Amino acid sequence: MTKTKERAEDTHPLVYQCRLPLSTRTVNHLADLLRRRLKAIRSRWRILPPGRIAVIVLAVLRHDQRLADMAGGNNVSESTVRRWRDELIALLAAQAPRLDRALKKVAKRGGEVVLIDGTLIPPSAAPERPTGGTTPANTTITACTSSP
């Protein structure tokens, strides 16, 4: 019995192309993070090179591409793309500054911080870093933006 990877009759896979405006620096940064991670965990290989994985993850995050669509177009499974996405988000989150440091930087520039729920925190009222124990629910901050 012979196996062939050609499709039966005249069927052709559908191709969806989308322009993804990314800087080379962004893709290289993510790929380098992934390369360092793979070296640290002594992973032998991935089905795709780190640069290609970075582009796939950025397409998922930036254009809200469905995981199944990105997986099918790159001959990997949907769960693999989900794992790559989660892994790169974790690698980026590990590089993010702590909240107290980010607030000090914003205050130094004279900006204000607006929380996701719409609460405005003036620079002088920036919360101090908790010294231990559990953080009260009203000081939990998931994301912030600043206006210079």
Side-chain angles (χ1 to χ4, degrees), residues 40-104:
I41 65 173
R42 295 183 176 180
S43 176
R44 290 184 159 206
W45 63 279
R46 292 279 170 107
I47 196 164
L48 293 176
R52 186 97 178 262
I53 292 172
V55 170
I56 291 169
V57 169
L58 288 170
V60 168
L61 294 175
R62 181 109 182 227
H63 284 289
D64 200 24
Q65 293 289 336
R66 289 185 338 153
L67 298 176
D69 292 341
M70 293 305 296
N74 292 289
N75 295 325
V76 294
S77 70
E78 180 180 353
S79 62
T80 300
V81 175
R82 181 179 294 111
R83 186 173 34 86
W84 288 343
R85 180 199 62 195
D86 295 345
E87 183 178 24
L88 281 177
I89 287 173
L91 289 172
L92 285 171
Q95 289 191 321
R98 290 193 327 234
L99 179 62
D100 59 337
R101 292 180 186 162
L103 290 174
K104 284 181 185 176

Side-chain angles (χ1 to χ4, degrees), residues 74-145:
N74 292 289
N75 295 325
V76 294
S77 70
E78 180 180 353
S79 62
T80 300
V81 175
R82 181 179 294 111
R83 186 173 34 86
W84 288 343
R85 180 199 62 195
D86 295 345
E87 183 178 24
L88 281 177
I89 287 173
L91 289 172
L92 285 171
Q95 289 191 321
R98 290 193 327 234
L99 179 62
D100 59 337
R101 292 180 186 162
L103 290 174
K104 284 181 185 176
K105 188 181 284 188
V106 170
K108 190 183 291 184
R109 293 180 182 166
E112 294 179 328
V113 176
V114 179
L115 303 181
I116 288 178
D117 66 356
T119 308
L120 176 67
I121 298 179
S124 61
E128 293 296 321
R129 185 170 184 251
T131 56
T134 59
T135 305
N138 61 353
T139 59
T140 302
I141 300 173
T142 54
C144 61
T145 59

